[in-house]
Amino acid sequence: MGLLQFPKIYSLIAVRLVLGGIILLTLRFFRIQVRNKLGRQVEAFFVILSALQFHLLFYCSRPLPNTLALGLVNIGYGFWMKGKFYLALNSLIFATLVVRCDILLLLAPLGVELLLTKSISLLQALKYCVGAALLCVGLTTLVDTIMWRRFLWPEFEVFWFNSVLNRSSEWGTHPIHWYFTSALPRMLLIAYPLSMLGVLLDRRLLFYVIPVYSFILLYSKLPHKELRFIIGSVPMFNLAAAVTASRIYNNRKKSFWKLLFLAMVGSFLVSLGCTVLTFLASYENYPSGYALKYLHKSGHLAKDTEEQWVHIDTFSAMNGISRFCEDDNLFRYSKEEGILLEDFSRRNFTYLISEHAAVGGYKCLFSVKGFSRISLQNRSPPVTLVKVPKVFVHGNLNYRDIFDRSWPGCF
């Protein structure tokens, strides 16, 4: 993209399209094994439930280690259902040692289950997995030592920082039950109760669900929790929910099951509505990205040869601005942290993108609204998104050229 002189944002779009396609292909691999093992009807409900969920598809194209691990976990699930247990273990070993060390919390319960059920033997597991583990450690250490210019095994450092030192809690904590009472209900929607019912209806699911529940239980002991940490559990929960949905559909002509079927269809519609609302809220959740885009369009000074420095505060950097959004032709960017508000007047920034509505030495040029909350009302539509100013763009009062043009102003 750089050689073709495209804006950097096109690189991000290309990466996300490729990554999203790869993750969907791994989901397809798992879906095919669901069809082979449980039939086309369960497969169909698996697809429907997955399509009704916002977070699974949202994370499919996000360039995060969790997303890369999701693809490997999907492959592992597929081999698991296919009965190729050593390949399943090796997929999770690669994910653990190279991409995301917390997959160990899924790998360990699965390995124990396979040993207890005599699906694998300990000697064979050592034969197939130890060599793969050593190869993975060697590969990731070699590549990252070259890239970071120091001896480095990245996932070991992550494990030490997050788990041993428990430093991840510096980014916030949640109660031990948060994954079960907040994250999973929001991610799975109707699939959450259906998945729990599925275990009762089809005992075969215990073999697949117990390691995934164990994964979340073990992860719950870590104080710092994020929804994306357990995104790899969603496909397996959707499988359990699809089995329940298929059973309800097959018995829909019986009196009691008919009520369940109607409730399930209604819940599907509610889940769809929740996903639409979440999508709309997410679309409005990155106000600083829109702010930088407008600034690039309107913020050029009369003297185009003069560099224009844009300071991006921490809030803005977390809500829509990445390096892919930058325009390096005339703008330079600073993400320096720890600058006091009163100190900005002594700094020579041309523009500020900030969460603060007023900064000394600067004038607010425009603001961008972002999602605040969902509001219910007595007219159509009954549900609306409330947006409030979230990000403010300020111009340095020493640069008079800035104020010779028309700006929307701050409201």
Side-chain angles (χ1 to χ4, degrees):
M1 291 296 177
L3 290 173
L4 295 173
Q5 296 185 335
F6 282 113
K8 286 198 288 186
I9 192 67
Y10 287 96
S11 301
L12 178 61
I13 293 170
V15 166
R16 293 194 68 160
L17 284 172
V18 171
L19 179 58
I22 291 171
I23 300 302
L24 289 176
L25 283 174
T26 64
L27 269 175
R28 178 181 180 272
F29 174 69
F30 179 47
R31 173 182 62 80
I32 290 171
Q33 309 317 314
V34 170
R35 180 182 66 199
N36 294 340
K37 188 84 173 180
L38 300 168
R40 291 185 178 275
Q41 190 167 287
V42 174
E43 175 198 17
F45 278 111
F46 174 81
V47 172
I48 292 169
L49 289 165
S50 300
L52 287 175
Q53 295 164 349
F54 169 79
H55 291 95
L56 180 63
L57 298 180
F58 174 74
Y59 277 106
C60 274
S61 68
R62 295 198 70 183
L64 296 167
N66 309 87
T67 303
L68 302 176
L70 172 62
L72 292 164
V73 168
N74 289 335
I75 292 172
Y77 285 160
F79 284 129
W80 184 8
M81 292 206 70
K82 206 172 182 180
K84 296 186 176 182
F85 302 122
Y86 298 109
L87 287 175
L89 291 174
N90 281 334
S91 298
L92 297 183
I93 287 170
F94 184 87
T96 300
L97 299 177
V98 177
V99 179
R100 188 76 194 179
C101 64
D102 50 20
I103 301 300
L104 176 64
L105 301 178
L106 176 61
L107 171 63
L110 175 58
V112 170
E113 181 189 72
L114 293 176
L115 287 171
L116 291 177
T117 57
K118 298 184 179 180
S119 301
I120 60 173
S121 71
L122 181 59
L123 289 178
Q124 286 290 92
L126 291 174
K127 175 183 174 182
Y128 283 102
C129 298
V130 170
L134 293 175
L135 181 63
C136 290
V137 173
L139 175 66
T140 185
T141 303
L142 174 65
V143 171
D144 283 284
T145 295
I146 294 171
M147 295 182 70
W148 290 91
R149 298 179 184 177
R150 65 182 177 89
F151 185 76
L152 176 65
W153 174 12
E155 287 312 301
F156 179 78
E157 287 203 3
V158 172
F159 172 77
W160 190 263
F161 183 90
N162 287 344
S163 302
V164 179
L165 301 179
N166 196 24
R167 294 282 303 279
S168 61
S169 58
E170 296 173 9
W171 276 262
T173 62
H174 287 97
I176 195 168
H177 57 78
W178 185 80
Y179 283 132
F180 291 100
T181 57
S182 179
L184 285 174
R186 286 184 288 131
M187 282 197 298
L188 297 175
L189 301 172
I190 180 57
Y192 193 33
L194 290 178
S195 65
M196 291 187 284
L197 187 58
V199 176
L200 299 175
L201 294 175
D202 192 334
R203 292 305 176 94
R204 291 178 299 174
L205 292 175
L206 284 172
F207 181 67
Y208 301 106
V209 170
I210 286 177
V212 179
Y213 269 112
S214 301
F215 163 62
I216 299 174
L217 280 170
L218 291 169
Y219 221 144
S220 295
K221 293 185 67 65
L222 198 68
H224 178 63
K225 298 175 177 66
E226 292 186 38
L227 186 148
R228 63 189 174 95
F229 291 169
I230 61 167
I231 193 69
S233 66
V234 173
M236 194 57 76
F237 283 125
N238 283 346
L239 167 62
V243 170
T244 306
S246 178
R247 181 71 64 88
I248 292 173
Y249 179 79
N250 288 337
N251 292 279
R252 67 190 183 280
K253 294 183 179 179
K254 301 175 184 177
S255 57
F256 173 73
W257 290 89
K258 184 176 182 180
L259 293 175
L260 283 179
F261 176 70
L262 292 174
M264 184 180 74
V265 172
S267 299
F268 279 10
L269 295 175
V270 171
S271 295
L272 177 61
C274 290
T275 296
V276 170
L277 281 175
T278 309
F279 169 77
L280 293 174
S282 176
Y283 187 79
E284 302 292 347
N285 226 13
Y286 303 95
S288 52
Y290 295 109
L292 185 61
K293 181 180 179 181
Y294 187 84
L295 183 62
H296 285 160
K297 182 180 178 181
S298 306
H300 294 284
L301 298 181
K303 299 177 181 179
D304 282 346
T305 56
E306 185 175 350
E307 284 188 346
Q308 300 161 69
W309 276 94
V310 180
H311 182 268
I312 300 165
D313 72 357
T314 303
F315 177 85
S316 301
M318 294 170 62
N319 288 275
I321 294 179
S322 72
R323 295 187 65 183
F324 287 103
C325 302
E326 296 174 358
D327 179 356
D328 294 327
N329 291 327
L330 292 173
F331 291 92
R332 295 294 178 266
Y333 304 90
S334 168
K335 295 183 180 179
E336 183 181 346
E337 299 181 36
I339 304 176
L340 300 176
L341 278 180
E342 55 268 25
D343 291 342
F344 277 105
S345 59
R346 294 188 288 272
R347 304 295 291 267
N348 200 33
F349 296 120
T350 316
Y351 299 102
L352 306 180
I353 302 179
S354 172
E355 63 177 314
H356 301 286
V359 181
Y362 293 79
K363 180 181 178 181
C364 189
L365 304 175
F366 64 94
S367 62
V368 178
K369 292 182 178 180
F371 171 73
S372 175
R373 58 188 173 86
I374 293 174
S375 176
L376 301 177
Q377 54 189 16
N378 294 325
R379 60 181 186 275
S380 181
V383 180
T384 184
L385 303 181
V386 177
K387 296 183 288 182
V388 298
K390 292 275 190 176
V391 174
F392 303 87
V393 178
H394 307 272
N396 193 321
L397 291 171
N398 294 324
Y399 291 87
R400 302 311 307 172
D401 288 352
I402 294 175
F403 307 98
D404 291 339
R405 64 196 66 190
S406 176
W407 295 96
C410 295
F411 304 98

